[in-house]
Amino acid sequence: MRDAARTAYYTQTLTLVPSTVRLARMSIRTTLECWGLHEFVEDAVQVVSELVTNSVQHAAGQSADDPGCCRLTVQRPTHDVVAVIVSDSSPRRPVRCQPNAESENGRGMLLLDALAPGWRVIPTPSGGKAVHCELRAHS
């Protein structure tokens, strides 16, 4: 990892197919473990799983020949913060749902609220979006 005066940085482009979610979880886990940031791993894996799943479901291409892609970026801007950013080509923003006890879906934004309060959506110049989450070290 780079010295504290510089930001640690990793990025990966992922194809928008269902198996990508597993690959994204492995990538974030491996990156944070290599950086020695074990305390961030479980929360980051959950955040990445949710964000990449959303990209696969809502930003995938129109055909098997062109499934589309998303970009996973992990940064460490300070010693107690890890930023996780997933960008894709869809302008569609994540939607907060009010799931009931029987719902199998719809809890993703609630999860982001709990793990990364203040997460935000940033429009990209290409017309898509980047969902930016910051995870903080537990005190």
Side-chain angles (χ1 to χ4, degrees):
M1 186 168 55
R2 300 175 185 171
D3 62 65
R6 301 175 75 182
T7 301
Y9 181 87
Y10 172 80
T11 191
Q12 179 179 19
T13 300
L14 302 163
T15 304
L16 293 176
V17 295
S19 61
T20 293
V21 177
R22 181 174 171 266
L23 176 60
R25 287 192 301 257
M26 288 181 356
S27 293
I28 190 88
R29 180 179 300 280
T30 301
T31 298
L32 294 177
E33 287 177 354
C34 286
W35 290 352
L37 301 176
H38 307 288
E39 71 180 288
F40 290 95
V41 170
E42 294 310 314
D43 288 352
V45 166
Q46 288 186 318
V47 166
V48 164
S49 184
E50 179 58 36
L51 295 178
V52 174
T53 296
N54 282 352
S55 287
V56 168
Q57 290 176 343
H58 302 294
Q62 301 300 315
S63 72
D65 292 336
D66 181 17
C69 63
C70 69
R71 187 155 197 82
L72 168 62
T73 302
V74 186
Q75 300 171 340
R76 187 179 187 197
T78 66
H79 75 283
D80 63 342
V81 173
V82 168
V84 176
I85 302 123
V86 174
S87 56
D88 61 42
S89 62
S90 172
R92 183 174 175 206
R93 299 173 65 88
V95 176
R96 280 190 174 85
C97 299
Q98 296 299 324
N100 60 38
E102 292 81 36
S103 298
E104 293 185 18
N105 298 310
R107 292 180 179 79
M109 302 304 100
L110 298 173
L111 176 72
L112 290 183
D113 289 339
L115 297 177
W119 62 272
R120 61 194 183 279
V121 180
I122 303 165
T124 60
S126 63
K129 69 175 170 311
V131 181
H132 186 278
C133 301
E134 289 189 352
L135 302 172
R136 302 203 175 271
H138 303 288
S139 304

